[in-house]
Amino acid sequence: MKKSVASIALIFLTVVMLRTLQAEVSGPCVNCHTMHNSQGGLPMATYGDTSQNPEDAGSGPKTYLLRGTCFGCHAQITGGRIVTIGLSQIPQVFHNDSDGDLAAGNFAYITGYKGSGASDAKGHNVVPLGKSDDVLNSPPGDQHQTGITGSNLTCAGKYGCHGDRIKNGEYEAMKGAHHTHDLALKFNHINENAQGTFVGNSYRFLYRVKGGEDDAWQSTTGASDHNEYKGATSMGASSATSPAGNTISGFCAECHGYYHGSGLDETSGGTPWIRHPTDTSLPGTGEYVGYVNYSLVAPVARVTIPQQTPSDSVDPPGSDDDIVMCLSCHGAHATDYFKLMRWDYKNWPPGNNGCAVCHTWKD
């Protein structure tokens, strides 16, 4: 009897631990969905701040019976960097949390809701912001003619980043992703062969991208507490809907292709460069050998994602090569700096010179 009780307890504990590690939503369906938009004679509450997000106006149900849009759930403005709905923790991409931002940044810098002032140059002006880009009318370096403009950039789908970019609609592009078991993306369970085959098992729902996901979206950070990004030692050719080599830089190249790929240097030997290299191994000689401790200011990608824990070291060109990537210099959603930079590149000096993390002789 005691053995049976112990076995049941062990199974229960294992299930709880697995569900904690995974990012799929948990709890009653009503936390996210409404069948008839009625509860106690009143419309169901809808997630989102209608004063900041025009898309969330009104109390009616959304597509797929959802109680909130992408921004309605992930941009709750004043609720902190992570908001709990039911049993699920929801990362926030538009907030005013004074403790800092999650790994991909914060759209609030674009509107000036947080930071040093509003600027279209600080991030990707997605439609729910209600603020189209007045400077750029297409992605810089749009090699594949995506059709994205200054006013139609969405969170997901054909004109967005997340989900299946073959699908026109945001919700069609994301269908099923939040209910997918994604253990293969979590440290202690990393399995690159089981990643990127569909949206739900792709890194941060970026279709076909591989990587290692920090459980808390980097709400806490350290040399061994961070995301790990997939990289490669040579630059492949991405299409408008598929990232070369399943890498994060290959994904950026779906929209910014002229900044990434072969033929971006003047000679076959690769020097001198006329574009900053991406998906290229950090050299193991010269000034680069000084980059030995993993930096959150200028992170590197990996050819092979560490399976157990994020790596705190950089060893160019190590057996799991440390790779220069787009996110070594840029944020994803938005930062408080010019061109989504991770540091104040435009106004340096004074201040932090992130270039010197790799180019250690040039600070």
Side-chain angles (χ1 to χ4, degrees):
M1 180 64 180
K2 289 182 179 179
K3 289 183 178 180
S4 299
V5 172
S7 298
I8 292 171
L10 180 60
I11 293 171
F12 176 77
L13 180 60
T14 302
V15 170
V16 170
M17 290 177 66
L18 289 175
R19 293 200 61 82
T20 301
L21 286 167
Q22 298 167 2
E24 73 270 22
V25 293
S26 303
C29 301
V30 72
N31 287 338
C32 297
H33 298 277
T34 172
M35 290 286 286
H36 303 290
N37 190 36
S38 177
Q39 183 68 34
L42 297 173
M44 291 285 285
T46 302
Y47 300 122
D49 186 325
T50 59
S51 67
Q52 292 289 329
N53 307 325
E55 189 181 57
D56 294 315
S59 58
K62 313 301 180 184
T63 304
Y64 291 118
L65 308 181
L66 289 167
R67 294 176 58 188
T69 62
C70 298
F71 252 43
C73 291
H74 292 280
Q76 297 192 22
I77 315 299
T78 59
R81 293 175 295 174
I82 298 176
V83 170
T84 300
I85 297 178
L87 300 177
S88 298
Q89 294 201 318
I90 314 299
Q92 298 297 297
V93 299
F94 186 175
H95 63 83
N96 66 353
D97 193 327
S98 60
D99 289 335
D101 304 314
L102 301 180
N106 187 352
F107 287 116
Y109 296 121
I110 300 173
T111 65
Y113 189 73
K114 184 179 179 180
S116 59
S119 172
D120 287 334
K122 290 184 176 181
H124 290 97
N125 295 57
V126 290
V127 170
L129 284 177
K131 185 182 187 302
S132 62
D133 195 320
D134 297 326
V135 178
L136 299 173
N137 197 45
S138 63
D142 191 5
Q143 179 182 19
H144 304 299
Q145 300 179 341
T146 59
I148 294 173
T149 69
S151 58
N152 73 359
L153 179 62
T154 55
C155 296
K158 181 178 180 180
Y159 301 119
C161 291
H162 299 280
D164 187 345
R165 299 193 62 242
I166 295 176
K167 306 291 180 61
N168 285 325
E170 289 189 271
Y171 301 102
E172 289 78 9
M174 290 293 296
K175 188 175 181 179
H178 285 87
H179 296 283
T180 300
H181 294 282
D182 59 352
L183 202 59
L185 292 158
K186 306 304 180 186
F187 295 105
N188 291 315
H189 303 274
I190 295 290
N191 181 355
E192 290 192 40
N193 292 329
Q195 296 180 8
T197 55
F198 46 92
V199 173
N201 67 4
S202 297
Y203 177 82
R204 301 304 187 203
F205 299 155
L206 304 173
Y207 189 27
R208 297 190 176 97
V209 177
K210 297 182 179 183
E213 295 182 347
D214 179 82
D215 279 341
W217 303 277
Q218 290 189 194
S219 63
T220 61
T221 56
S224 57
D225 181 12
H226 52 79
N227 293 319
E228 286 281 1
Y229 302 97
K230 179 70 174 175
T233 57
S234 61
M235 299 178 295
S238 298
S239 71
T241 58
S242 182
N246 304 106
T247 71
I248 192 68
S249 292
F251 175 78
C252 296
E254 291 184 16
C255 294
H256 306 283
Y258 283 125
Y259 294 160
H260 176 102
S262 58
L264 298 184
D265 49 8
E266 293 181 355
T267 69
S268 60
T271 184
W273 287 88
I274 60 174
R275 300 283 192 278
H276 194 285
T278 53
D279 269 355
T280 300
S281 181
L282 192 68
T285 59
E287 62 186 330
Y288 308 100
V289 299
Y291 185 5
V292 294
N293 298 316
Y294 187 94
S295 170
L296 291 162
V297 175
V300 292
R302 319 283 189 176
V303 172
T304 301
I305 303 300
Q307 291 192 349
Q308 302 303 317
T309 59
S311 174
D312 62 359
S313 64
V314 176
D315 185 23
S319 57
D320 295 332
D321 289 285
D322 300 295
I323 304 298
V324 181
M325 60 173 173
C326 300
L327 295 187
S328 294
C329 300
H330 296 280
H333 295 143
T335 72
D336 198 23
Y337 304 118
F338 183 68
K339 301 297 186 186
L340 289 79
M341 294 293 290
R342 288 182 174 272
W343 59 89
D344 196 359
Y345 171 83
K346 184 178 181 181
N347 295 313
W348 180 85
N352 180 32
N353 177 16
C355 298
V357 174
C358 294
H359 302 274
T360 59
W361 296 352
K362 295 185 172 68
D363 192 358

Short mmCIF file of all heavy atoms in Angstrom, two decimals, residues 233 280-286 288-289 291-292 301-303 314-324:
data_model
loop_
_atom_site.label_atom_id
_atom_site.label_comp_id
_atom_site.label_asym_id
_atom_site.label_seq_id
_atom_site.Cartn_x
_atom_site.Cartn_y
_atom_site.Cartn_z
N THR A 233 27.65 28.05 -38.88
CA THR A 233 28.98 28.56 -39.21
C THR A 233 29.06 29.11 -40.62
O THR A 233 30.10 29.62 -41.04
CB THR A 233 30.03 27.45 -39.05
OG1 THR A 233 29.67 26.34 -39.88
CG2 THR A 233 30.12 27.00 -37.60
N THR A 280 28.00 33.38 -38.54
CA THR A 280 29.43 33.24 -38.77
C THR A 280 30.10 33.00 -37.42
O THR A 280 29.80 33.67 -36.44
CB THR A 280 30.02 34.51 -39.42
OG1 THR A 280 29.36 34.74 -40.66
CG2 THR A 280 31.51 34.38 -39.63
N SER A 281 31.02 32.05 -37.38
CA SER A 281 31.70 31.73 -36.14
C SER A 281 32.55 32.91 -35.67
O SER A 281 33.27 33.52 -36.46
CB SER A 281 32.58 30.50 -36.32
OG SER A 281 33.22 30.16 -35.12
N LEU A 282 32.45 33.24 -34.39
CA LEU A 282 33.29 34.27 -33.81
C LEU A 282 34.75 33.82 -33.95
O LEU A 282 35.11 32.73 -33.51
CB LEU A 282 32.93 34.47 -32.34
CG LEU A 282 33.51 35.70 -31.65
CD1 LEU A 282 32.90 36.97 -32.21
CD2 LEU A 282 33.26 35.61 -30.14
N PRO A 283 35.61 34.63 -34.59
CA PRO A 283 36.99 34.20 -34.81
C PRO A 283 37.71 33.84 -33.52
O PRO A 283 37.46 34.42 -32.47
CB PRO A 283 37.64 35.42 -35.49
CG PRO A 283 36.49 36.15 -36.12
CD PRO A 283 35.33 35.96 -35.18
N GLY A 284 38.64 32.90 -33.63
CA GLY A 284 39.39 32.45 -32.47
C GLY A 284 40.75 33.08 -32.35
O GLY A 284 41.61 32.59 -31.62
N THR A 285 40.97 34.19 -33.08
CA THR A 285 42.25 34.89 -33.03
C THR A 285 42.00 36.39 -32.87
O THR A 285 40.88 36.88 -33.06
CB THR A 285 43.07 34.64 -34.30
OG1 THR A 285 42.32 35.10 -35.43
CG2 THR A 285 43.39 33.16 -34.47
N GLY A 286 43.04 37.11 -32.53
CA GLY A 286 42.97 38.56 -32.47
C GLY A 286 42.09 39.06 -31.35
O GLY A 286 41.99 38.45 -30.29
N TYR A 288 39.03 39.04 -30.80
CA TYR A 288 37.84 38.28 -30.42
C TYR A 288 38.10 37.29 -29.28
O TYR A 288 37.15 36.86 -28.62
CB TYR A 288 37.28 37.54 -31.64
CG TYR A 288 37.07 38.45 -32.82
CD1 TYR A 288 37.99 38.49 -33.85
CD2 TYR A 288 35.96 39.30 -32.88
CE1 TYR A 288 37.82 39.35 -34.93
CE2 TYR A 288 35.78 40.16 -33.94
CZ TYR A 288 36.72 40.18 -34.97
OH TYR A 288 36.55 41.05 -36.03
N VAL A 289 39.36 36.92 -29.08
CA VAL A 289 39.65 35.93 -28.03
C VAL A 289 39.37 36.50 -26.64
O VAL A 289 39.30 35.75 -25.67
CB VAL A 289 41.11 35.44 -28.11
CG1 VAL A 289 41.38 34.76 -29.45
CG2 VAL A 289 42.09 36.59 -27.88
N TYR A 291 36.56 37.74 -25.73
CA TYR A 291 35.16 37.48 -25.38
C TYR A 291 35.08 36.03 -24.90
O TYR A 291 34.96 35.11 -25.70
CB TYR A 291 34.26 37.71 -26.58
CG TYR A 291 32.76 37.58 -26.32
CD1 TYR A 291 32.24 37.36 -25.04
CD2 TYR A 291 31.84 37.69 -27.36
CE1 TYR A 291 30.90 37.25 -24.81
CE2 TYR A 291 30.46 37.59 -27.15
CZ TYR A 291 30.01 37.36 -25.87
OH TYR A 291 28.65 37.24 -25.64
N VAL A 292 35.15 35.83 -23.59
CA VAL A 292 35.19 34.48 -23.03
C VAL A 292 34.01 34.18 -22.12
O VAL A 292 33.64 33.02 -21.94
CB VAL A 292 36.51 34.22 -22.27
CG1 VAL A 292 37.69 34.24 -23.23
CG2 VAL A 292 36.71 35.24 -21.16
N ALA A 301 25.04 33.03 -30.61
CA ALA A 301 24.25 31.83 -30.89
C ALA A 301 25.17 30.61 -30.83
O ALA A 301 26.38 30.74 -30.68
CB ALA A 301 23.57 31.95 -32.25
N ARG A 302 24.57 29.42 -30.95
CA ARG A 302 25.36 28.17 -30.89
C ARG A 302 24.99 27.26 -32.05
O ARG A 302 23.83 27.20 -32.45
CB ARG A 302 25.07 27.41 -29.59
CG ARG A 302 24.96 28.27 -28.35
CD ARG A 302 26.27 28.74 -27.81
NE ARG A 302 26.08 29.37 -26.49
CZ ARG A 302 27.07 29.80 -25.72
NH1 ARG A 302 28.32 29.69 -26.12
NH2 ARG A 302 26.82 30.36 -24.55
N VAL A 303 25.98 26.54 -32.55
CA VAL A 303 25.70 25.52 -33.55
C VAL A 303 24.88 24.40 -32.93
O VAL A 303 23.91 23.91 -33.52
CB VAL A 303 27.01 24.96 -34.14
CG1 VAL A 303 26.74 23.76 -35.03
CG2 VAL A 303 27.72 26.05 -34.93
N VAL A 314 32.15 31.47 -23.67
CA VAL A 314 32.34 31.66 -25.11
C VAL A 314 33.74 31.19 -25.43
O VAL A 314 34.70 31.60 -24.79
CB VAL A 314 32.17 33.15 -25.50
CG1 VAL A 314 32.45 33.36 -26.98
CG2 VAL A 314 30.76 33.62 -25.15
N ASP A 315 33.87 30.31 -26.43
CA ASP A 315 35.16 29.71 -26.71
C ASP A 315 35.37 29.63 -28.22
O ASP A 315 35.34 28.57 -28.81
CB ASP A 315 35.23 28.31 -26.09
CG ASP A 315 36.61 27.68 -26.25
OD1 ASP A 315 37.58 28.42 -26.42
OD2 ASP A 315 36.69 26.43 -26.22
N PRO A 316 35.57 30.75 -28.88
CA PRO A 316 35.71 30.73 -30.34
C PRO A 316 37.04 30.10 -30.75
O PRO A 316 38.07 30.40 -30.16
CB PRO A 316 35.67 32.21 -30.70
CG PRO A 316 36.17 32.92 -29.49
CD PRO A 316 35.71 32.10 -28.32
N PRO A 317 37.06 29.29 -31.79
CA PRO A 317 35.89 28.62 -32.36
C PRO A 317 35.75 27.24 -31.74
O PRO A 317 36.29 26.26 -32.24
CB PRO A 317 36.24 28.53 -33.85
CG PRO A 317 37.76 28.44 -33.85
CD PRO A 317 38.25 29.11 -32.60
N GLY A 318 35.03 27.13 -30.68
CA GLY A 318 34.89 25.90 -29.92
C GLY A 318 34.16 24.81 -30.68
O GLY A 318 33.66 25.01 -31.79
N SER A 319 34.03 23.65 -30.08
CA SER A 319 33.39 22.52 -30.74
C SER A 319 31.93 22.81 -31.05
O SER A 319 31.38 22.29 -32.02
CB SER A 319 33.51 21.27 -29.86
OG SER A 319 32.92 21.51 -28.59
N ASP A 320 31.29 23.60 -30.21
CA ASP A 320 29.93 24.08 -30.48
C ASP A 320 30.04 25.57 -30.79
O ASP A 320 29.73 26.41 -29.97
CB ASP A 320 29.00 23.83 -29.30
CG ASP A 320 28.80 22.35 -29.04
OD1 ASP A 320 28.90 21.56 -29.99
OD2 ASP A 320 28.55 22.01 -27.88
N ASP A 321 30.51 25.88 -31.96
CA ASP A 321 30.95 27.23 -32.32
C ASP A 321 30.03 28.32 -31.79
O ASP A 321 28.82 28.23 -31.87
CB ASP A 321 31.02 27.36 -33.85
CG ASP A 321 32.16 26.57 -34.44
OD1 ASP A 321 33.32 27.01 -34.32
OD2 ASP A 321 31.88 25.52 -35.03
N ASP A 322 30.64 29.37 -31.27
CA ASP A 322 29.91 30.55 -30.83
C ASP A 322 29.72 31.46 -32.03
O ASP A 322 30.67 31.84 -32.71
CB ASP A 322 30.69 31.25 -29.72
CG ASP A 322 30.90 30.32 -28.54
OD1 ASP A 322 29.90 29.94 -27.90
OD2 ASP A 322 32.07 29.95 -28.27
N ILE A 323 28.46 31.82 -32.28
CA ILE A 323 28.07 32.39 -33.57
C ILE A 323 27.61 33.83 -33.43
O ILE A 323 26.79 34.16 -32.56
CB ILE A 323 26.94 31.55 -34.19
CG1 ILE A 323 27.37 30.09 -34.32
CG2 ILE A 323 26.51 32.12 -35.53
CD1 ILE A 323 28.55 29.85 -35.21
N VAL A 324 28.10 34.70 -34.31
CA VAL A 324 27.58 36.05 -34.43
C VAL A 324 26.21 35.97 -35.10
O VAL A 324 26.04 35.30 -36.12
CB VAL A 324 28.52 36.92 -35.28
CG1 VAL A 324 27.98 38.34 -35.38
CG2 VAL A 324 29.93 36.93 -34.68
#
